[in-house]
Amino acid sequence: MELVSGRDPHLREVVWFAVCCRALTLLLQALFNLLLPDHAADAFSPPRLPEPGLWDLLLEQLLGGLSRWDAEHFLFVAERGYLYEHNCAFLPLYPLSLRAVAEGALWPLQPLLRLRSRLLLSAVLLNSLFSILAAAALYKLGCVVLQHRGVAFLAALLFSVSPANVFMAAAYSESMFAFLAFSAMWQLEKGQSWLGGLLFSLASGVRANGLINAGFVLYARSKCFALQLQVGSGSLRKLPPLWKQLLSGTSSAVLMCAGIFLPFALFQYYAYVRFCGPGTGLEQTVPGPLLQLALDKGYRLAARNGVKPPWCSWRFPVVYSYIQDTYWNVGFLRYFELRQTPNFLLALPVTLLGSWAAWTYLMANPRHCLTLGLERRKSEEGKPRAGFCCPAVFVYVVHATVSLAVGFFCMHVQVLTRFLGSCSPILYWFSAHLLQEYEPLLWSEGTDNQTASPRSEKSLLDKSPGSCRKGTSENPLVRLLMNFRLITPLSKCILGFFLSYWLLGLILHCNFLPWT
């Protein structure tokens, strides 16, 4: 596979570090799950049918911490389908993948493990694979966009200790989405627009915010045409080819955007047929305990007793928006309540980091931002600037800023950390930029394929006991952690945010305590 092949030592280090971080995550969650009692949370918790056996109980002890909160929905959908209406908030590609692995690769374990246990094991295996591949894709994407291998390398390492790490490991769709989104962005940057569009389309079948990725396709086509128009300005002979290029680019952009929206639209149609169609005697096919759970909790079953949900009569019956509004009270400014102050504090670090990234980029490239990056400048025709503030980062900053604004004002604000951590490379690129720019321990480190000159000051690591010898493979993130007392306060804040949210997420989320 191109993503992990090759002789790039940085890529090998990214993959190896991601594997080690994933193994440590699984070990820690098992330890915390064994040592700490689970909180009695009012969360979706369907009865286990059939009764678990000895091997099921053992697997639950080892990996049960990864089946909390929304993970129960994904595992339930993979096992039972979309039985309850509110299950439709979780798009189908990830549960289908879990079911395929459980019934395929893990089929030999059927005599030992019931289906739900195999689904949980499938989630652990798939998310481990996807998170490792996502780190590799982020590194490749960073090399192309940033043109600075050192920042791209450090950003990919930071992804492996993401503050959203627990959701990359648990039975959530974040790892799969991050892999598909970062891979699609990378392919789009390489000029493989149709492959990028296909990956974006798959991502929109994993998470609804994948629809926003259509903006990358539209921007790429718009920028290409705008730059060609500026090159061809003043030449009347080139107008017909430009019109052909406009029609060709517009048609391909429309087709790719339609492909990105298609999985989400098809799922809305499926939900409409299932919950708004005529009754099919579903009550007799649902086990009694699950019917009783629906009665106790007020869950709506598909077409039960011929009573249709209110969204069925909408002009555009979109079950996703109805569920977000009715079951989770998601909407503009609805979360702005005094009692939600702790959740706003949880989201404060990622909010500050995302806002700081947008402001830094705007101040470094005011004209580029005002012209939406569509103006060809003479200064860009030579050797372009590298690093976070380079022109190519513009569309990613816009995407991250829009995602941050939507999440802050319209969603449950505490999910911002995992929301941005799985959909945007900016969180990692800007953190790596700050470390590279303001951390003296990294100033002496040379990087490949960078056009910005590294700082020439002598590294303080040469005097530290944890420094590596010249010529050995070095991990700058490990280097900073081993010399934590020597690094700057800014570096301590960045690494402290990443590592503390990683650790707290494992402690709290894996024991049914509130987290992001």
Side-chain angles (χ1 to χ4, degrees):
M1 183 183 293
E2 183 185 359
L3 194 61
V4 295
S5 64
R7 299 181 179 180
D8 187 345
H10 293 87
L11 180 59
R12 289 200 301 269
E13 180 62 26
V14 166
V15 171
W16 173 245
F17 187 68
V19 170
C20 293
C21 288
R22 185 58 51 227
L24 181 59
T25 296
L26 295 178
L27 178 63
L28 289 177
Q29 70 81 28
L31 183 63
F32 294 141
N33 195 36
L34 288 171
L35 296 180
L36 301 176
D38 287 344
H39 174 63
D42 183 20
F44 181 64
S45 183
R48 304 287 188 261
L49 300 173
E51 288 296 320
L54 178 61
W55 289 102
D56 296 308
L57 294 174
L58 177 60
L59 186 73
E60 185 71 23
Q61 287 293 318
L62 294 176
L63 301 176
L66 303 177
S67 64
R68 310 306 189 204
W69 298 106
D70 287 353
E72 286 283 7
H73 287 277
F74 285 112
L75 294 172
F76 183 80
V77 169
E79 182 179 10
R80 302 281 176 180
Y82 288 93
L83 184 63
Y84 302 128
E85 181 186 57
H86 67 289
N87 293 143
C88 292
F90 305 91
L91 299 190
L93 186 54
Y94 181 66
L96 286 174
S97 301
L98 297 184
R99 186 64 180 256
V101 174
E103 298 284 25
L106 300 183
W107 181 82
L109 298 178
Q110 189 175 7
L112 300 176
L113 299 173
R114 62 195 174 110
L115 178 57
R116 189 193 180 278
S117 298
R118 285 183 281 126
L119 289 170
L120 177 57
L121 184 56
S122 299
V124 173
L125 296 175
L126 278 180
N127 283 8
S128 298
L129 175 63
F130 285 137
S131 62
I132 294 167
L133 292 178
L138 180 61
Y139 169 71
K140 288 287 193 177
L141 174 65
C143 289
V144 175
V145 175
L146 302 175
Q147 292 296 305
H148 192 301
R149 194 176 297 272
V151 176
F153 180 43
L154 185 54
L157 297 175
L158 286 170
F159 177 82
S160 296
V161 293
S162 169
N165 182 68
V166 65
F167 302 101
M168 301 288 181
Y172 278 59
S173 56
E174 269 73 5
S175 284
M176 186 178 192
F177 184 81
F179 163 63
L180 291 172
F182 294 162
S183 298
M185 295 170 189
W186 175 43
Q187 294 300 328
L188 200 62
E189 290 290 347
K190 292 199 306 175
Q192 303 292 329
S193 56
W194 288 104
L195 179 55
L198 175 61
L199 293 170
F200 276 140
S201 178
L202 292 174
S204 69
V206 177
R207 294 184 60 83
N209 60 300
L211 300 177
I212 305 176
N213 291 330
F216 286 103
V217 173
L218 293 175
Y219 181 78
R221 293 297 183 184
S222 301
K223 184 176 180 180
C224 181
F225 179 74
L227 296 182
Q228 288 175 347
L229 186 62
Q230 292 170 63
V231 170
S233 62
S235 177
L236 294 176
R237 275 193 246 173
K238 294 188 177 181
L239 285 179
L242 283 174
W243 278 109
K244 291 180 181 179
Q245 290 171 10
L246 175 61
L247 292 175
S248 174
T250 301
S251 59
S252 62
V254 169
L255 286 175
M256 283 191 286
C257 289
I260 292 173
F261 279 83
L262 183 62
F264 183 82
L266 288 177
F267 180 66
Q268 302 312 301
Y269 177 74
Y270 163 81
Y272 180 84
V273 171
R274 181 165 179 79
F275 288 91
C276 302
T280 56
L282 181 67
E283 295 88 341
Q284 285 134 21
T285 65
V286 178
L290 297 181
L291 282 174
Q292 188 61 46
L293 178 67
L295 293 174
D296 294 342
K297 297 290 187 179
Y299 299 154
R300 181 179 281 121
L301 290 164
R304 191 162 183 242
N305 298 325
V307 179
K308 296 182 180 181
W311 59 271
C312 292
S313 59
W314 291 0
R315 184 175 181 180
F316 298 102
V318 179
V319 66
Y320 182 83
S321 57
Y322 172 80
I323 292 171
Q324 294 291 339
D325 174 53
T326 305
Y327 288 88
W328 282 283
N329 193 33
V330 172
F332 183 63
L333 298 183
R334 291 188 185 179
Y335 221 57
F336 281 67
E337 301 175 337
L338 186 61
R339 62 190 180 95
Q340 301 296 347
T341 301
N343 288 323
F344 277 90
L345 293 177
L346 273 178
L348 184 61
V350 74
T351 303
L352 292 177
L353 201 58
S355 303
W356 189 8
W359 179 256
T360 298
Y361 192 85
L362 177 61
M363 290 298 98
N365 304 280
R367 183 180 178 87
H368 188 75
C369 294
L370 288 175
T371 59
L372 303 181
L374 300 180
E375 179 188 27
R376 180 183 292 274
R377 300 175 62 186
K378 293 182 179 180
S379 60
E380 295 176 8
E381 294 175 359
K383 204 173 186 181
R385 179 168 34 169
F388 175 77
C389 293
C390 71
V393 178
F394 170 75
V395 66
Y396 299 93
V397 172
V398 172
H399 171 261
T401 305
V402 170
S403 299
L404 177 62
V406 170
F408 189 83
F409 291 108
C410 302
M411 296 168 57
H412 292 183
V413 72
Q414 69 270 22
V415 308
L416 263 179
T417 304
R418 61 184 172 100
F419 183 62
L420 284 178
S422 63
C423 77
S424 172
I426 290 297
L427 177 65
Y428 310 104
W429 285 350
F430 185 61
S431 298
H433 163 75
L434 292 176
L435 292 173
Q436 190 86 9
E437 187 72 15
Y438 298 107
E439 178 48 62
L441 294 185
L442 297 178
W443 285 352
S444 68
E445 180 177 306
T447 55
D448 300 326
N449 291 352
Q450 67 180 60
T451 57
S453 299
R455 297 183 183 267
S456 59
E457 287 88 341
K458 185 177 176 65
S459 173
L460 296 179
L461 282 171
D462 295 339
K463 301 179 181 179
S464 65
S467 60
C468 301
R469 293 183 179 180
K470 188 175 181 180
T472 60
S473 176
E474 294 185 0
N475 184 318
L477 186 56
V478 172
R479 180 193 299 183
L480 292 176
L481 293 176
M482 292 179 65
N483 296 271
F484 194 79
R485 289 181 298 175
L486 299 176
I487 63 178
T488 63
L490 177 60
S491 298
K492 289 179 180 179
C493 288
I494 294 172
L495 296 181
F497 166 51
F498 275 71
L499 296 179
S500 63
Y501 270 55
W502 180 21
L503 188 62
L504 286 173
L506 291 173
I507 295 173
L508 298 176
H509 179 87
C510 293
N511 291 285
F512 257 129
L513 291 162
W515 187 236
T516 65

